[in-house]
Amino acid sequence: MGGKSFTSAEAQLRPDGKFGDRQLARFINCVMFDGKKSVAERVVYDALDLIQAKLAKESDPGAPKEAIEVFRMAVDNVKPYVEVRSKRIGGANYQVPMTVKPKRAQSLAYRWILEAARGEKGRPISARLADELYNGARKEGKAMMTRDQTHRMAEANRAFAHFAN
């Protein structure tokens, strides 16, 4: 497969139909409820269409041109570098900061983006998801706040970093 080693789960994951992107295909799977993949695809593609419409109005020359680029930027921006893990040492629990593996970072980013979009009410999910992805690409929004909170907790507990394996 050319340099990259895939686990069996990654090898089975087919790129999505519209953009041919594996990362987007995994995100669609995370959006999916009750095995209704066509509904999840419609939600994600509608969100990307809304982002594309926003980008058409964007005047900033440094802004991305494609909605899929906004999606990738949002996920990369929301990915955490460190997190705290509870560790029991000598009868006491410590919040130990640890670096996050790339796969877990991606999963957390997806989860936080979806929680932020689902947490807001009153508008269609595709509109809320589009806003969250757009804000994530601009380093704003609820998902970014969750990431920053995670980083702050890790920073506050840096004194216990020597307990990390």
Side-chain angles (χ1 to χ4, degrees):
M1 285 192 202
K4 270 190 173 178
S5 64
F6 287 106
T7 63
S8 61
E10 286 171 336
Q12 286 177 3
L13 184 69
R14 298 272 167 264
D16 79 290
K18 194 171 181 182
F19 296 96
D21 189 0
R22 269 200 160 96
Q23 192 178 8
L24 188 61
R26 177 168 280 125
F27 185 72
I28 288 169
N29 288 344
C30 292
V31 171
M32 181 169 50
F33 268 128
D34 293 333
K36 298 189 176 185
K37 191 161 192 164
S38 58
V39 174
E41 283 177 342
R42 190 169 54 237
V43 165
V44 172
Y45 292 149
D46 286 353
L48 291 174
D49 290 344
L50 290 168
I51 291 170
Q52 194 63 52
K54 270 188 189 177
L55 290 177
K57 297 175 194 163
E58 185 71 56
S59 58
D60 180 24
K65 303 287 179 257
E66 295 292 321
I68 190 75
E69 292 174 42
V70 171
F71 167 75
R72 287 196 194 109
M73 278 175 63
V75 171
D76 286 342
N77 288 344
V78 173
K79 280 182 187 175
Y81 303 112
V82 288
E83 67 178 342
V84 290
R85 285 236 159 117
S86 193
K87 203 159 199 183
R88 188 168 179 86
I89 292 157
N93 285 326
Y94 296 102
Q95 296 288 313
V96 180
M98 295 184 166
T99 57
V100 182
K101 291 182 177 143
K103 205 162 185 178
R104 176 156 170 79
Q106 187 181 45
S107 296
L108 286 171
Y110 289 171
R111 188 180 312 157
W112 293 341
I113 290 168
L114 287 171
E115 278 176 8
R118 288 174 179 154
E120 197 183 312
K121 294 289 178 225
R123 291 184 354 202
I125 185 66
S126 54
R128 297 179 305 200
L129 184 59
D131 282 352
E132 197 54 47
L133 288 170
Y134 192 74
N135 287 338
R138 292 170 48 208
K139 300 190 176 190
E140 300 168 359
K142 284 183 188 166
M144 279 303 293
M145 283 172 48
T146 306
R147 171 192 179 262
D148 292 341
Q149 190 70 32
T150 303
H151 283 179
R152 273 198 294 276
M153 289 243 319
E155 183 64 30
N157 289 296
R158 210 171 63 196
F160 305 125
H162 65 282
F163 289 134
N165 292 4

